């Protein structure tokens, strides 16, 4: 296969990986806030298991687990994109010039604004937010919510 066909095939693959990465971010933020919003507006559901820590904790920790998986998946996508970038640079050097474009990109100051750093910060933040919210929910369920639900149901 001629190198220019490989080049465009890999460019298309990198674009698809970027779309997947952006979609994961968009859906994770919506799902996390929708899930916690639903749990907070339905305390009777979450509170009905307050005495059962083994049931209550997974209910609250579900978004944390999914976001942790999303963070891992983001790292896999970034590594895959980087490998495709290295191959694209190889194809460029073979077909056009001897400059190492990929290495210049990695060393450039604009690299931090290309998205890899931004997604890493996003995933760290959403994992932290979901963990803190889950921990607060578990503590609320186990410590305070049982009395509040008992008072409301009487």
């Amino acid at each position: 296969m001629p190198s220019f066909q490989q080049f465009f095939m890999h460019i298309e693959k990198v674009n698809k990986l970027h779309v997947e990465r952006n979609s994961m971010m968009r859906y994770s933020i919506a799902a996390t806030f929708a899930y916690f919003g639903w749990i907070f507006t339905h305390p009777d559901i979450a509170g009905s298991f307050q005495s059962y820590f083994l049931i209550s904790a997974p209910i609250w920790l579900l978004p944390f687990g999914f976001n942790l998986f999303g963070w891992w998946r983001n790292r896999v996508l970034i590594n895959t994109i980087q490998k495709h970038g290295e191959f694209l640079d190889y194809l460029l050097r073979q077909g056009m010039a001897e400059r190492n474009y990929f290495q210049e990109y990695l060393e450039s100051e604009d690299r931090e604004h290309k998205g890899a750093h931004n997604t890493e910060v996003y995933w760290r933040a959403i994992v932290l937010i979901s963990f803190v919210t889950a921990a607060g929910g578990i503590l609320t369920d186990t410590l305070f919510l049982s009395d509040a639900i008992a008072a409301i149901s009487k």
Side-chain angles (χ1 to χ4, degrees):
M1 177 181 290
S3 63
F4 70 90
Q5 287 178 337
Q6 285 182 339
F7 181 80
F8 289 112
M9 184 177 70
H10 282 278
I11 289 281
E12 183 178 331
K13 179 67 174 171
V14 167
N15 286 335
K16 287 179 182 178
L17 292 171
H18 279 294
V19 167
E20 180 181 348
R21 209 169 51 137
N22 292 336
S23 296
M24 279 185 3
M25 289 173 52
R26 184 173 43 253
Y27 296 141
S28 72
I29 193 84
T32 299
F33 283 101
Y35 185 86
F36 281 131
W38 185 82
I39 289 289
F40 282 126
T41 57
H42 294 82
D44 53 331
I45 304 273
S48 62
F49 299 110
Q50 80 268 6
S51 59
Y52 302 105
F53 180 77
L54 293 177
I55 296 173
S56 178
I59 289 172
W60 285 101
L61 289 171
L62 188 65
F64 171 71
F66 281 129
N67 287 325
L68 203 57
F69 172 75
W71 187 9
W72 171 80
R73 179 68 178 142
N74 182 61
R75 292 300 314 153
V76 168
L77 289 174
I78 288 173
N79 289 339
T80 304
I81 289 169
Q82 189 168 14
K83 286 179 184 177
H84 279 284
E86 290 169 356
F87 185 68
L88 287 169
D89 183 63
Y90 168 78
L91 291 175
L92 279 173
R93 282 186 281 124
Q94 293 297 330
M96 297 182 186
E98 290 300 317
R99 286 179 61 188
N100 190 341
Y101 293 101
F102 188 70
Q103 192 62 34
E104 288 177 17
Y105 164 73
L106 290 177
E107 294 169 356
S108 72
E109 294 177 11
D110 292 338
R111 179 173 181 261
E112 294 299 322
H113 303 290
K114 297 291 184 185
H117 177 71
N118 296 339
T119 58
E120 189 69 22
V121 169
Y122 166 81
W123 283 107
R124 287 179 185 177
I126 195 71
V127 165
L128 181 65
I129 288 168
S130 61
F131 179 75
V132 168
T133 307
I138 291 169
L139 288 175
T140 302
D141 273 358
T142 56
L143 300 177
F144 308 113
L145 198 56
S146 58
D147 297 333
I149 288 179
I152 291 172
S153 60
K154 287 182 182 181

